[in-house]
Amino acid sequence: MILQKRSISTIIALLLCLTSIETMAHGQDDIDILIQKAETYFLDQKNREALDMYLSVLDIDATNYEALHNTSLLYNMEGFQFDDEDERMKYYKLAESYAERALEHHPDKDESHYVYSIALGRIADKSSARNRVKAAKAIKEHGEKALELNPEHAGAWHLLAVWHHNAANLNFAERTAVRLLGGLPDASNEKAEEAFNKAIALDDETIIFYRDFARFYDEVGKKQKAEQMLNKVVTLEPKVEGDEKILEESREMLSSIR
């Protein structure tokens, strides 16, 4: 009887183990399907639908890398569409929270550092000069970490280009905050230009890269090069939701330069 009991216990344990494995397999199948749908929605410029798919993935697996960093990125992109500053900041804060989770669970992944830098930058853009300066060091550190993990990350090169552009051309309030807070890492227009060129060399179809490069050239007094960048922008096709808005801004900027 004892042997029989042990045998039954073993069989039950085995069945439970097999059931658990099957459940995990189905869960992974569901995740794969949801991620595939999210990617399709994103390519179709349906950010809200893509975001819903990634959030559904996180309901199954709260630490999923693809879902965490893409959720953060999409909250940033969605927030950018709002004119209302409170609504925009709400989305940026959500982007930051998911980026923090990505960093917590996947500190060795480039996208974790990249989306965290973006979230910090978006929030800093809408903050006081003091808070922008306080955030600047972390933005640069995480952007550089993304490039350390993936030197061909075009988005991270673009992020650093914008960082150098902003840090090398501070306004009076920002310069005052820098002095009070003990300085910033080295920044220069030369490094900004180099980083913009690297971003475009890696990805020559992303509209925001050219628009921001044009802004840089315009602000440092290189109007002809700014016009060249804008002329390139208006020939590009929108790839992601929000590109139409950037294209319209670029057309207006081009008209003002000519």
Side-chain angles (χ1 to χ4, degrees):
M1 289 294 295
I2 294 175
L3 288 175
Q4 186 178 8
K5 285 182 179 179
R6 284 181 178 176
S7 177
I8 291 171
S9 297
T10 301
I11 291 170
I12 291 172
L14 179 60
L15 287 172
L16 287 172
C17 181
L18 290 172
T19 301
S20 176
I21 291 170
E22 185 177 359
T23 301
M24 289 173 62
H26 282 304
Q28 187 58 51
D29 286 344
D30 292 340
I31 287 171
D32 292 342
I33 290 168
L34 288 167
I35 288 177
Q36 186 175 17
K37 286 182 178 179
E39 290 171 350
T40 300
Y41 280 131
F42 183 75
L43 292 174
D44 288 342
Q45 301 184 40
K46 296 178 179 179
N47 285 1
R48 184 69 249 184
E49 290 85 348
L51 181 57
D52 288 342
M53 292 299 102
Y54 285 124
L55 289 171
S56 295
V57 170
L58 293 173
D59 286 338
I60 301 170
D61 176 6
T63 67
N64 185 275
Y65 171 60
E66 291 295 328
L68 283 173
H69 75 76
N70 279 300
T71 296
S72 176
L73 183 64
L74 283 163
Y75 270 125
N76 262 314
M77 294 176 72
E78 284 291 278
F80 182 70
Q81 305 303 313
F82 288 101
D83 293 324
D84 182 83
E85 292 297 337
D86 290 337
E87 195 69 17
R88 181 179 287 196
M89 188 57 69
K90 182 177 76 174
Y91 274 71
Y92 289 167
K93 288 289 187 179
L94 283 167
E96 181 185 34
S97 69
Y98 282 96
E100 287 172 343
R101 285 169 59 182
L103 270 179
E104 177 187 356
H105 296 291
H106 309 282
D108 58 339
K109 299 291 188 179
D110 57 332
E111 295 292 348
S112 299
H113 294 274
Y114 174 60
V115 295
Y116 186 62
S117 290
I118 293 176
L120 290 181
R122 292 290 195 195
I123 293 169
D125 282 346
K126 302 301 176 183
S127 303
S128 66
R130 182 181 181 86
N131 285 336
R132 288 197 299 276
V133 170
K134 286 175 68 175
K137 184 177 180 181
I139 293 168
K140 185 171 187 281
E141 284 179 353
H142 285 280
E144 289 178 336
K145 183 62 177 180
L147 286 173
E148 179 185 322
L149 293 166
N150 179 10
E152 296 189 351
H153 196 304
W157 280 113
H158 168 251
L159 183 145
L160 282 180
V162 173
W163 186 93
H164 278 285
H165 173 198
N166 292 336
N169 300 279
L170 300 175
N171 60 36
F172 176 77
E174 290 166 337
R175 290 196 299 272
T176 301
V178 167
R179 287 195 296 271
L180 291 173
L181 294 171
L184 276 179
D186 289 340
S188 71
N189 288 327
E190 291 75 19
K191 289 181 179 178
E193 185 174 21
E194 180 183 352
F196 273 124
N197 278 319
K198 286 185 176 179
I200 288 173
L202 290 165
D203 179 355
D204 62 357
E205 295 183 355
T206 295
I207 287 171
I208 197 170
F209 291 2
Y210 290 96
R211 194 282 307 274
D212 286 349
F213 206 174
R215 280 183 174 175
F216 164 74
Y217 277 137
D218 185 44
E219 291 182 18
V220 299
K222 297 182 179 181
K223 304 292 184 181
Q224 186 175 359
K225 288 191 173 183
E227 186 174 353
Q228 290 173 357
M229 290 296 153
L230 292 169
N231 281 327
K232 174 64 177 179
V233 171
V234 298
T235 69
L236 296 175
E237 293 293 326
K239 289 174 61 179
V240 299
E241 191 173 335
D243 275 354
E244 286 286 2
K245 182 178 180 179
I246 297 171
L247 277 172
E248 183 58 34
E249 292 173 355
S250 300
R251 294 185 190 101
E252 292 173 1
M253 188 176 172
L254 184 58
S255 296
S256 68
I257 287 178
R258 283 174 172 169

